[in-house]
Amino acid sequence: MTDKTDGTHQAADAGTGDDGATEHDGATDHDGTTEHDGIRTFPFPADLAVGGVGLQIGPMGADRTWHTDAPLYRVHRIDFHVVMLFADGPVRHMVDFAEYEATAGDLLWIRPGQVHRFSRECVYRGTVLTMQPGFLPPATVEATGLYRYDLPPLLRPAPAQLDALQAALDQLRREYEDTATLPPGLHTAVLRHTLTAFLLRLAHLAASSAQAGRQQPDSAFTRFRDAVEESFGVQHSVSAYADALGYSRRTLVRAVRAATGETPKGFIDKRVILEARRLLAHTDLPIGRVGAAVGFPDAANFSKFFHLHTGQTPVAFRAELR
């Protein structure tokens, strides 16, 4: 774990380091990090975990970073799970180029392979849990939905749920720090069981939050949102969505504005831009192929659209990440 040197960034101090296993692709640096499509990937620092187990848990602090020459406020990728339970806020955090704002009592769950970035301006306070893929058996991974990338990263538990999650996390931390009362093998087994209990609660919260979002009373918006998610790569026309869903354009405008504060066209464009950013960051596809993947067969039109909505060309955006 490396002390921060510039004094401008507040980040998590648990689950950080500059060594460990590396990904199978990309160029591996001497410190164990990996360059993949211009974005540095940080491995799980098993050597810094208590007893060398595949998890870490501790307080978030202001004086730590993943690595001295790659500050966390730069876009980067991790190859392990991170769960942050915030004790203060608001905190702004980017995950897969979507901005999330968390406050006290909220949780942020970032999964392996996701691109994210800490905020320069925000102070991160609370507890952070990091977990190495493979620490839990396959049946537990399935039951806890560890790789449900369709679920939102930001979770807002009700008071009773928060109390239960906090208690489970506190118990996990006590077990993690207690290396004296059990032999190593039993200590690891207890950690797996205690972690599973916490993750089952977290998974239930994530799934129920997603289900509640799908059951909002304004079915016009939810149907539109689902249709956009399915077809944004080929269809950008508001009228086409309205016709397919059986609504008038005016009804769709009212529904989307009430739910999001923006127009249906703005909603579609935002989803297209998010996907374009992901492809530009995660892949080395030519600009023309990225445009085609989000519904722009002509590369020039895609570049104009991207610049209009982001203030950058696709080439400049990709270059900024390298």
Side-chain angles (χ1 to χ4, degrees):
M1 198 177 302
T2 308
D3 283 335
K4 212 179 91 67
T5 57
D6 62 6
T8 60
H9 174 62
Q10 290 79 25
D13 71 347
T16 59
D18 46 35
D19 212 349
T22 59
E23 290 186 340
H24 65 279
D25 56 353
T28 303
D29 294 340
H30 70 279
D31 58 17
T33 62
T34 302
E35 289 289 343
H36 179 74
D37 299 332
I39 301 178
R40 177 160 287 188
T41 297
F42 292 95
F44 180 84
D47 60 318
L48 296 178
V50 171
V53 297
L55 69 88
Q56 288 182 287
I57 181 171
M60 292 186 265
D63 59 347
R64 307 292 180 180
T65 188
W66 300 108
H67 195 261
T68 52
D69 61 356
L72 293 184
Y73 55 79
R74 302 276 306 174
V75 174
H76 63 282
R77 183 186 286 111
I78 54 175
D79 71 357
F80 49 92
H81 293 270
V82 172
V83 178
M84 292 183 278
L85 175 55
F86 293 94
D88 201 357
V91 171
R92 292 181 302 280
H93 198 95
M94 184 274 281
V95 181
D96 273 347
F97 302 102
E99 292 288 338
Y100 297 91
E101 184 170 283
T103 190
D106 291 347
L107 296 103
L108 198 62
W109 186 353
I110 305 167
R111 291 168 168 82
Q114 290 190 302
V115 168
H116 73 130
R117 179 181 61 213
F118 287 77
S119 168
R120 280 179 182 265
E121 297 81 15
C122 298
V123 177
Y124 289 69
R125 293 194 179 98
T127 303
V128 60
L129 164 70
T130 62
M131 185 189 68
Q132 187 175 30
F135 182 68
L136 294 175
T140 304
V141 170
E142 180 68 23
T144 54
L146 287 186
Y147 295 93
R148 288 286 305 276
Y149 289 92
D150 59 308
L151 297 178
L154 182 61
L155 302 171
R156 293 192 163 101
Q161 292 174 310
L162 177 60
D163 288 344
L165 285 164
Q166 184 70 70
L169 199 58
D170 290 344
Q171 179 63 26
L172 178 60
R173 184 174 178 181
R174 287 191 290 270
E175 296 290 357
Y176 173 73
E177 294 173 348
D178 177 14
T179 59
T181 61
L182 291 172
L186 283 180
H187 181 233
T188 301
V190 168
L191 284 177
R192 286 195 175 104
H193 284 289
T194 312
L195 175 62
T196 298
F198 170 74
L199 289 176
L200 285 170
R201 289 187 178 278
L202 188 65
H204 173 70
L205 172 63
S208 59
S209 297
Q211 182 65 24
R214 287 192 291 268
Q215 292 179 344
Q216 293 297 321
D218 190 353
S219 61
F221 168 69
T222 55
R223 290 184 64 200
F224 170 72
R225 180 194 62 197
D226 293 345
V228 170
E229 187 61 31
E230 181 179 349
S231 304
F232 70 85
V234 294
Q235 183 58 263
H236 302 164
S237 166
V238 175
S239 295
Y241 283 108
D243 291 344
L245 295 171
Y247 298 119
S248 69
R249 185 185 177 98
R250 180 177 296 179
T251 296
L252 203 55
V253 168
R254 283 200 303 265
V256 176
R257 193 179 294 279
T260 68
E262 59 190 358
T263 65
K265 187 66 170 79
F267 184 89
I268 296 167
D269 289 349
K270 182 182 292 185
R271 183 63 184 90
V272 171
I273 287 295
L274 173 59
E275 192 68 16
R277 282 172 161 162
R278 287 173 173 170
L279 291 172
L280 289 167
H282 284 287
T283 75
D284 57 0
L285 288 173
I287 301 302
R289 288 186 61 188
V290 172
V294 294
F296 288 88
D298 183 79
N301 286 338
F302 168 64
S303 293
K304 290 177 183 176
F305 173 84
F306 191 90
H307 186 271
L308 175 66
H309 288 275
T310 68
Q312 293 178 293
T313 66
V315 172
F317 174 77
R318 177 175 274 172
E320 188 178 79
L321 302 179
R322 294 179 184 271

